Amino acid sequence: MTATDRKILRPLYIWAFVESLIFFYAIEKLFWTHVGITPQQIIFLGILAQAGQVVFEVPTSILADRWSRRKTLIASSGTMLLCVGVILLWQNYFSFIVMNVLWALYFSLQSGTLSAYVFDLLKSHDRHAVYRQAMSRLNTMQLSALLVSSLLAVSLANFGGYLFTYSLTFLSASLALYLLWRMPEPAMVRQTASWRGHVRSALNELLQTRWMMLLGFLLACITAARFIWYEYYQLFAILRDVPAEWFGVMLGLIFVGNIAGAEFSHRSGNGRMVLAVGLFVLLPSAAALIFANQAWLVLGLLGLVFAGAHATYIVFEENIQHRLSSALRATTLSLLGLFSRLIFGVVAVLLVLWPTAHMVSLVSVVLSALCVLYVPVRRHILRKIA
């Protein structure tokens, strides 16, 4: 990346760091139990948040494609302010229901929209060739902020109470909204068809060639594999008898692993090398977790799994981005996100039927192993072109 690239992206990186300072993130469930929310209610709130993202995913991406990517991101930051504001005013079960619906809307407004905004911003300067490096560094900024705020969470809660962490998050979200308001609106081609026609066109974008279908399928698989570990890493650790006092270290290693995957992708100019290394780290580590029993080994392997999965995800997402039309970019990516959640839902049913650490690892290995299909299919296509 050149000095010009960094100048274009610097305001976005600053926003990404500030916006990801979510100080209540690491202690949210502790706060919920502190105010009397039961374990059953916590499970329901988690289901509500996931269901909300499924409902909001595609409509919000259509909004981004037809209205404005930057304004949709501004709406996302505004939703975060509402989300935190509700809890600062009320702390009861109903307020947490409202918060989780708003939380789902916040994520959905960003899903597909943020990466589409970054690609179009670079494309407006004819620098979209560095998209992978740009998105990798943006991920690093987001993950670094989450790591910092998570490490500070307990100390801040001990100093000022649980609500103090929400107050600080309200301040960081307000600053993020201000920074985003000052960012440029890149040129984009707007879709003029009906909303139904818009979704149909986005689906056709994914189904235009077998290669595009394969890329979409592999991106959905690696995304679903990451969902599994994000959702169930604590359950996996409990089943492997990891001591409770190690959970903070485990979350830190997960963030570090993600940052390592993003930074490797950022610093490497060769996408195929990033993919090869990512899969080489991911597959053996996920397979080893099937048999790992020692707590220190489980934590180390989890860090490697997140590093490899993140690097692999970035490469597939970059390949998709370069093949999408501007008018459909956010919607097409959100459809892939929806497909990922459907795969995750099927896997979650298997885990409900067989809730073992072996099964968590096994389904992750299977989904990750499918990504190896990229290599022979790509070679076959290149031979046909030659």
Side-chain angles (χ1 to χ4, degrees):
M1 292 179 66
T2 66
T4 302
D5 297 332
R6 287 189 285 272
K7 183 178 180 181
I8 295 168
L9 294 164
R10 189 174 295 116
L12 188 64
Y13 290 159
I14 295 172
W15 166 80
F17 184 87
V18 172
E19 197 263 350
S20 299
L21 288 171
I22 305 174
F23 292 96
F24 63 82
Y25 179 77
I27 57 170
E28 181 181 51
K29 303 300 188 295
L30 289 174
F31 175 51
W32 291 2
T33 56
H34 177 73
V35 297
I37 305 301
T38 67
Q40 291 81 6
Q41 289 172 330
I42 290 175
I43 292 171
F44 172 76
L45 290 172
I47 294 171
L48 181 65
Q50 289 293 325
Q53 288 182 56
V54 170
V55 171
F56 295 137
E57 181 85 28
V58 176
T60 53
S61 63
I62 295 174
L63 182 69
D65 279 338
R66 299 173 72 93
W67 179 39
S68 162
R69 308 265 164 73
R70 184 180 69 91
K71 290 175 182 175
T72 302
L73 290 174
I74 288 173
S76 175
S77 290
T79 304
M80 171 60 89
L81 284 175
L82 288 174
C83 182
V84 178
V86 166
I87 301 305
L88 287 173
L89 292 173
W90 303 284
Q91 301 88 46
N92 55 53
Y93 185 47
F94 180 74
S95 67
F96 288 120
I97 290 175
V98 174
M99 176 195 175
N100 274 270
V101 173
L102 290 172
W103 187 259
L105 181 59
Y106 159 74
F107 271 107
S108 298
L109 285 165
Q110 280 199 15
S111 176
T113 305
L114 178 56
S115 54
Y117 176 82
V118 174
F119 193 92
D120 284 343
L121 179 64
L122 291 168
K123 193 172 183 179
S124 66
H125 295 274
D126 198 27
R127 295 298 299 157
H128 52 289
V130 299
Y131 169 78
R132 174 169 49 82
Q133 290 92 331
M135 203 65 196
S136 300
R137 179 52 56 86
L138 185 139
N139 289 161
T140 296
M141 300 303 291
Q142 291 174 315
L143 292 163
S144 297
L146 279 171
L147 176 59
V148 169
S149 55
S150 296
L151 291 175
L152 292 174
V154 174
S155 298
L156 291 171
N158 288 335
F159 172 76
Y162 286 113
L163 285 180
F164 183 53
T165 62
Y166 284 82
S167 299
L168 290 177
T169 304
F170 189 88
L171 292 176
S172 62
S174 300
L175 178 56
L177 183 61
Y178 169 75
L179 293 171
L180 193 55
W181 195 274
R182 294 174 57 86
M183 278 194 261
E185 181 77 70
M188 57 178 282
V189 179
R190 287 178 172 81
Q191 179 69 264
T192 56
S194 66
W195 284 49
R196 185 177 297 177
H198 188 104
V199 175
R200 189 182 301 116
S201 297
L203 279 171
N204 290 336
E205 190 102 330
L206 286 172
L207 303 175
Q208 58 183 294
T209 64
R210 291 180 181 178
W211 178 237
M212 190 67 169
M213 285 190 284
L214 176 68
L215 282 175
F217 175 71
L218 297 181
L219 180 62
C221 285
I222 194 63
T223 304
R226 296 176 74 212
F227 283 164
I228 289 165
W229 284 115
Y230 272 118
E231 192 69 27
Y232 297 118
Y233 77 89
Q234 292 190 22
L235 173 62
F236 180 86
I238 291 170
L239 292 171
R240 288 294 195 226
D241 296 321
V242 174
E245 57 268 22
W246 286 35
F247 273 49
V249 177
M250 180 167 58
L251 181 60
L253 284 174
I254 287 171
F255 281 133
V256 169
N258 275 311
I259 291 170
E263 278 301 292
F264 176 65
S265 179
H266 171 78
R267 296 174 186 276
S268 174
N270 188 331
R272 281 177 289 172
M273 174 62 73
V274 174
L275 179 62
V277 173
L279 289 174
F280 181 77
V281 171
L282 169 61
L283 289 172
S285 301
L289 279 169
I290 297 175
F291 310 102
N293 287 311
Q294 296 89 349
W296 63 269
L297 184 57
V298 168
L299 267 62
L301 288 172
L302 278 174
L304 290 173
V305 163
F306 276 92
H310 197 70
T312 303
Y313 168 84
I314 289 172
V315 174
F316 286 145
E317 203 255 358
E318 177 197 24
N319 273 272
I320 290 281
Q321 283 280 11
H322 284 287
R323 290 167 172 81
L324 299 180
S325 60
S326 177
L328 301 166
R329 193 178 305 282
T331 304
T332 308
L333 292 171
S334 285
L335 285 173
L336 285 172
L338 184 60
F339 184 38
S340 303
R341 292 186 185 282
L342 291 175
I343 295 175
F344 170 76
V346 172
V347 170
V349 171
L350 294 175
L351 294 177
V352 169
L353 295 173
W354 295 284
T356 66
H358 288 87
M359 183 57 71
V360 174
S361 301
L362 184 60
V363 294
S364 166
V365 170
V366 171
L367 287 172
S368 303
L370 287 171
C371 296
V372 179
L373 287 172
Y374 175 88
V375 178
V377 174
R378 184 178 183 276
R379 286 178 178 171
H380 175 69
I381 290 174
L382 290 177
R383 279 199 300 268
K384 287 184 66 176
I385 294 173

